[in-house]
Amino acid sequence: MDFLPTLWFILIAVLWTGYLFLEGFDLGVGMLMKVFARDEKERRLLLNTVGPVWDGNEVWLITAGGATFAAFPFWYASLFSSLYIPLVFVLLALIFRAVAFEYRGKVHHDTWRRTWDWAIAIGSFVAAFGIGAMLALTTTGLPLDANGDRVGGPFAWFTGYAVLGGVALVAFCLIQAAAFLALKTDGAVRHRARRLVGRWLPLGLVPLAAWAAAVSVMNGKAFSWLLLALAAVAAVLAWVANRSGREGRSFLALGVFLLLGSATIFSAVFPVVLPSTLNAAWNLTVANASSSPYTLGLMSVVAAVGVPLVLAYQAWTYWIFRKRISTIHLPEPHDFAPAVGVQAAAPAVSGTN
């Protein structure tokens, strides 16, 4: 099997894992806006925990999609053409969510803020569920014919595995978000977030473990079962660390769980990148779905330069905003005069020397 297609399969798996880890907690924080925060100050606190980083986290999604398009165009074409409906909903959810982050504080009015709070919460939920569903279908299969075209109606993708993947990612995002809030905040929010992790972590990680187990059963690789067992150990360590008040270790252990769970899934399906549920002979693999060696070689050179720069920048961003925050750090909501209006109202000043 050629080295470069295999390398880019691994890199795309890493990109998706990085996206799920970084975007996972801020999608979860968005969902918790309406079910966890108790008042306006707590909702603003939640927004401030992800405010400096949420847009940078979404770069991983764009990079993962772009890398798939360039390295495996047949995989990209079959997957995205088969999943137009969930993809459109995910894009709309991400758009409304991003607009809500920017517009929520523009008007000092309860109805205005509640409207955008719902946009953040629903957008985060739809994005998490849709991305989880699409990734689950990537690893469990779609009804593809010999040409890589979807067979069936527009909802042929809506299967039990799609629901499992959607639920798995939503549940993981909520648990990871609670662990992140326990690490990032102080005061009442911190303590409630830690209790939420302690109570719901075992149940919240079950759907993702079930997805990984289902893919392992389909492909029957011993190595994937070993990785899944290690992921279970990481989940136990995350729960124990949370119970002992070590929020940093708990959050890190959840990241290890995600990494090992993702490695379980991608290693189980390799070398298939998109299975066909109609005929295994029509599976798309790293060999028959990849770009030319020249394209992959050029991409490797660009990635060798660009990826370390992106990682360094994001690491620096998280380091700068590493300190805990609390509601006591937030001023009361208030109206303010736009800068343009202030300048227009200022009297003209003239004079001579």
Side-chain angles (χ1 to χ4, degrees):
M1 189 172 296
D2 292 337
F3 170 72
L4 285 177
T6 301
L7 173 65
W8 274 97
F9 176 83
I10 296 172
L11 289 176
I12 290 172
V14 170
L15 289 172
W16 276 113
T17 304
Y19 171 74
L20 295 179
F21 176 72
L22 294 174
E23 182 81 337
F25 66 79
D26 73 52
L27 288 173
V29 168
M31 286 184 274
L32 291 175
M33 286 280 292
K34 298 302 294 184
V35 298
F36 179 79
R38 293 179 175 176
D39 54 35
E40 171 59 18
K41 268 205 168 183
E42 288 193 358
R43 283 186 283 274
R44 290 170 61 208
L45 178 66
L46 264 61
L47 286 177
N48 275 269
T49 62
V50 298
V53 298
W54 70 267
D55 48 352
N57 294 341
E58 291 188 353
V59 171
W60 288 76
L61 175 63
I62 299 170
T63 306
T68 305
F69 171 76
F72 298 98
F74 296 105
W75 178 12
Y76 180 94
S78 294
L79 180 65
F80 282 72
S81 63
S82 299
L83 300 177
Y84 272 132
I85 291 178
L87 182 61
V88 167
F89 277 104
V90 167
L91 292 177
L92 290 175
L94 291 174
I95 291 170
F96 276 103
R97 181 173 176 269
V99 171
F101 274 124
E102 299 297 332
Y103 275 49
R104 184 186 186 276
K106 300 300 183 184
V107 176
H108 180 39
H109 193 279
D110 289 341
T111 302
W112 174 272
R113 287 193 292 262
R114 281 197 299 269
T115 301
W116 293 116
D117 287 343
W118 279 112
I120 294 172
I122 295 173
S124 298
F125 172 81
V126 172
F129 187 91
I131 291 170
M134 289 189 288
L135 287 176
L137 292 169
T138 302
T139 55
T140 57
L142 286 164
L144 303 177
D145 62 18
N147 296 320
D149 298 324
R150 185 197 66 219
V151 175
F155 292 95
W157 57 272
F158 193 72
T159 65
Y161 288 119
V163 174
L164 175 62
V167 171
L169 191 53
V170 168
F172 177 80
C173 288
L174 289 171
I175 296 300
Q176 191 191 24
F180 176 75
L181 292 174
L183 174 64
K184 183 64 179 173
T185 64
D186 211 346
V189 171
R190 174 188 180 183
H191 299 305
R192 293 208 321 272
R194 195 167 69 196
R195 288 197 299 270
L196 190 153
V197 174
R199 180 177 301 174
W200 294 104
L201 183 147
L203 182 62
L205 300 186
V206 166
L208 184 54
W211 171 11
V215 175
S216 298
V217 168
M218 289 179 184
N219 296 276
K221 294 181 180 178
F223 181 66
S224 64
W225 285 107
L226 174 61
L227 291 173
L228 184 56
L230 294 175
V233 173
V236 172
L237 293 176
W239 185 79
V240 171
N242 177 77
R243 295 277 292 184
S244 61
R246 298 175 178 177
E247 292 102 339
R249 294 185 182 183
S250 178
F251 184 74
L252 180 61
L254 278 174
V256 174
F257 169 82
L258 176 68
L259 174 63
L260 292 171
S262 177
T264 299
I265 293 168
F266 282 103
S267 65
V269 299
F270 181 82
V272 176
V273 296
L274 184 58
S276 169
T277 57
L278 302 179
N279 190 330
W282 299 337
N283 290 346
L284 296 179
T285 68
V286 294
N288 64 23
S290 65
S291 294
S292 67
Y294 176 80
T295 300
L296 295 177
L298 183 60
M299 290 175 59
S300 299
V301 173
V302 174
V305 176
V307 171
L309 294 177
V310 173
L311 291 175
Y313 171 76
Q314 281 211 293
W316 178 80
T317 302
Y318 278 94
W319 176 255
I320 291 297
F321 295 100
R322 68 189 181 278
K323 293 185 178 180
R324 292 182 183 271
I325 57 175
S326 174
T327 54
I328 63 174
H329 299 134
L330 303 177
E332 294 294 334
H334 58 280
D335 288 317
F336 60 92
V340 175
V342 172
Q343 292 174 358
V349 177
S350 62
T352 59
N353 292 329

